[in-house]
Structures are given as structure tokens and as C-alpha cells.
Amino acid sequence: MVCALGIEGSANKIGIGIIKDGEVLANVRRTYITPPGEGFLPKETAKHHREAILGLVQSSLKEAKLQPADLDVICYTKGPGMAPPLLVGAIVARTLSLLWAKPLLGVNHCIGHIEMGRLITGAQNPIVLYVSGGNTQVIAYSNQRYRIFGETIDIAVGNCLDRFARIIKLSNDPSPGYNIEQLAKKSNRYIKLPYVVKGMDVSFSGILSYIEDLAEPGKRQNKRKRQQEEEVTDYSQADLCYSLQETIFAMLVEITERAMAHCGSNEVLIVGGVGCNERLQEMMRIMCEERGGKLFATDERYCIDNGLMIAHAGAEMFRSGTRMPLEEAFVTQRFRTDEVLVSWRQD
């Protein structure tokens, strides 16, 4: 039985989680929320994390009813993510490791999402759709690696949603993507947008530019666009949110279905912050049922960045014999999913 404390702080959320032999003992989190129309910058995000992290560590131990001596390993997000926020988690993890004389493990953020999803849902060997603000990947496990079958070639799907929310000045509380989802429910008027699937990869930057022109036609600069502007019907924000979701989610369903067919799988697991979106889950569920498959998804407690997923992935690594010297306890902004040896799986 391994009892692990995990620290996640790769983006605008700082979370601490404690897990013991697959049992959730604590999962606390704070989110850095910026004003409408603004994103979160690395320096300010790191400041938020520094101010919150020690209180969250204390809260997690209190919620778990544990003392530091009860822990077996301290885990932190090694990457990918924004460097300043990542460093906050790494420095605190190193400090706790030394103070409490506990082993230290750096965890791949993407692997944390996958293993947390598998634990909560019970999915055995699914095709994984990993969708978040910084990542968009279709993944399948093979020979102790999570292999990337397809991914975005520019921006992540969550980044596309977040940036469009900023364009139309939606609130960032609780999250831009959630507010787009709620606004989309008020419309069923579909506006044709670019649909960009290139083999197993997807692209969202052109879609974002196109829908930005529809949302803010007054910003168009060239003559051709000004001429077209007169022919464009006014679209409500709800129409635009609905159409954006339907288009980009259809792209994700397509490449996920293709991965299912290639691997002969009948399971799909959606992980990452965008995985909370009920419309994405509905579309994916329809596709899975048509193929005689099953969809697995989690709620916001586990699909949004959290320390618990880092604790669980770290516990699996520790149980399988993985160890990390203090000298290797750094962070990296680029840390691909398929770089990690999945030593805890033998299937």
C-alpha cells in the first residue's frame, strides 16, 4: 500500500491530492481567475500558486486525517506546462521531501490525467482522448508506452475555446470553456465553420481566426472582407458558441473513431479539462454506441487539473520501483506523453 501526496500547478490551478492504495483521501484545489477578456500570465499565475500552496498542503493533510510521517512519497508535476507555475510546485515538493525525509517523484501531467481517468472509471485499455487548455491528443497504450495516434498541429482545443471566450468577453469564472458550453445551450443555429482534420491530426487556429471575424466584423482590415461583411448575417454569441463546439467536437470524434477502428478497441476515455463538457461527452457517446462501444468520462473533480491525479500516477510509479534522485527534480515545459515508460503496466 502506497500513500502519496501529489502537487499539480502546471497552469492556472494549484491542487494538492492524497491517495492511499487507490482510495481518495484528499483533493483540494484553487484556481487563478482573471477578469473577462484576459488570460493568465505565467508570472501572476506563479504568484497566486505561491500564496495558496502551503495552505492547501495543510488542508489536504487535515482532510485526509494524516501526518507527514504517514506518507510514502511526494509527487509533483514535472511537465508539460508553464515554467513559473511548475517551479512553484517543484520547489515546494523538494522542500517537503527534504523536511519530511520522503522520496520524491516527478510526474508527467498527461500521464496523471490518463491514470486518474482509468482509476475513477474502471476503463481497462481504452482509446484516450486527452483534451485540455494545453494539449489535444488521441492516445492508445502499447508495450509500456502511451502512444500518440493524433494531435493538434497548432493550438489545443481548450486554448481555442478559452481564446474565443476572451474575444467575446465571457467570464473566466469558473472557466471560459464552461461558460461557452452554457451559452451554446441557448442556440441550435449552426454556422458553417472550417473543418480541419489532416489524417489523424487536427488544427484549430484557422477556425479561431474565422470565428473571430464573425464575432468582430468591424476589425476586418482588407477590402475583400469589408465587401463580404455586408452579406454576413448578424450572429448571436450563443450561435457562435454552439457552432464552434459542434465543429471542433465533431473533429475530435472523427479522429477518436479512427483510432478505435485501427486498434480494435471498444472503449473511449475522455480526460483533461475539456472532457467535462457534456456536449463533447454526448457526441462521443453516440459514436461509441453506434460502434457497440462504451464511453468513460469523469466530472470536474477529476478531469480538471488536480493534485490527486499526480498523487495517483506517482504512487503507481513508486509501487513499480521507479525512483528519482533529488538532482533530477527539475521541471520541463515540454514533456510528451510517449516519453514516459509505463512501468506499472504489464499488459
Side-chain angles (χ1 to χ4, degrees):
M1 295 176 65
V2 177
C3 185
L5 180 145
I7 300 173
E8 156 59 27
S10 60
N12 69 325
K13 295 171 181 64
I14 179 70
I16 310 293
I18 300 176
I19 196 164
K20 185 176 183 180
D21 199 34
E23 179 186 356
V24 175
L25 301 182
N27 186 21
V28 295
R29 177 174 57 207
R30 293 267 184 87
T31 302
Y32 175 51
I33 297 175
T34 55
E38 296 182 16
F40 51 90
L41 299 174
K43 182 179 178 181
E44 287 75 13
T45 306
K47 181 176 182 293
H48 168 268
H49 291 3
R50 285 195 300 271
E51 293 170 351
I53 190 168
L54 295 183
L56 289 174
V57 171
Q58 293 173 336
S59 297
S60 65
L61 288 170
K62 184 176 180 180
E63 184 178 318
K65 298 178 182 178
L66 295 177
Q67 297 298 319
D70 299 319
L71 301 172
D72 295 308
V73 61
I74 307 295
C75 313
Y76 73 97
T77 302
K78 190 171 185 176
M82 299 192 302
L86 280 171
L87 280 169
V88 174
I91 291 169
V92 171
R94 289 198 296 260
T95 303
L96 295 180
S97 172
L98 293 170
L99 283 174
W100 296 344
K102 300 296 179 182
L104 181 65
L105 282 178
V107 176
N108 180 287
H109 178 87
C110 317
I111 298 293
H113 273 298
I114 295 170
E115 293 302 336
M116 195 73 233
R118 291 181 63 233
L119 173 69
I120 296 300
T121 65
Q124 295 303 307
N125 191 25
I127 297 296
V128 179
L129 176 64
Y130 172 35
V131 279
S132 69
N135 299 275
T136 302
Q137 297 175 344
V138 176
I139 300 162
Y141 172 81
S142 176
N143 296 322
Q144 293 194 308
R145 299 275 178 177
Y146 282 112
R147 315 285 178 174
I148 300 172
F149 275 67
E151 59 190 319
T152 176
I153 60 175
D154 40 52
I155 61 174
V157 61
N159 186 245
C160 178
L161 291 168
D162 291 352
R163 286 166 65 175
F164 183 63
R166 293 203 291 271
I167 289 168
I168 60 176
K169 301 294 190 294
L170 289 186
S171 172
N172 290 319
D173 187 12
S175 72
Y178 175 82
N179 292 323
I180 282 182
E181 179 184 0
Q182 302 314 307
L183 196 53
K185 293 176 181 178
K186 298 178 182 179
S187 174
N188 60 3
R189 181 188 183 191
Y190 181 74
I191 305 161
K192 186 176 181 180
L193 301 176
Y195 184 96
V196 191
V197 174
K198 298 175 180 292
M200 283 296 293
D201 296 331
V202 289
S203 171
F204 299 110
S205 59
I207 299 170
L208 180 63
S209 298
Y210 187 93
I211 200 169
E212 181 179 3
D213 281 344
L214 297 181
E216 298 181 327
K219 286 192 174 182
R220 294 173 178 168
Q221 299 298 317
N222 65 64
K223 183 178 179 181
R224 181 180 178 186
K225 286 186 175 180
R226 285 198 300 269
Q227 291 172 344
Q228 292 173 344
E229 185 180 332
E230 299 174 0
E231 304 170 6
V232 173
T233 308
D234 287 335
Y235 301 118
S236 70
Q237 289 187 349
D239 296 337
L240 295 170
C241 290
Y242 171 78
S243 302
L244 180 61
Q245 280 198 163
E246 294 298 302
T247 302
I248 61 179
F249 291 168
M251 292 161 54
L252 296 173
V253 170
E254 178 185 335
I255 61 172
T256 304
E257 182 174 18
R258 195 175 292 127
M260 289 179 73
H262 179 79
C263 298
S265 175
N266 62 355
E267 294 181 338
V268 171
L269 171 65
I270 304 179
V271 299
V274 181
C276 297
N277 189 293
E278 294 178 354
R279 179 54 181 157
L280 174 58
Q281 292 183 14
E282 179 186 15
M283 294 172 70
M284 196 68 71
R285 184 176 292 110
I286 291 170
M287 180 274 288
C288 289
E289 290 174 352
E290 288 177 349
R291 295 183 60 86
K294 186 175 181 181
L295 173 68
F296 295 90
T298 62
D299 59 32
E300 66 278 356
R301 291 173 297 170
Y302 306 114
C303 64
I304 294 174
D305 290 353
N306 61 88
L308 191 62
M309 69 186 198
I310 302 304
H312 174 57
E316 292 292 310
M317 293 168 63
F318 188 77
R319 185 183 292 112
S320 68
T322 302
R323 299 294 184 268
M324 185 183 75
L326 191 65
E327 297 76 34
E328 296 179 10
F330 52 83
V331 299
T332 173
Q333 291 180 268
R334 291 175 174 81
F335 190 6
R336 285 182 63 82
T337 313
D338 50 9
E339 290 181 33
V340 178
L341 178 66
V342 186
S343 57
W344 55 95
R345 290 187 64 174
Q346 305 299 327
D347 51 329

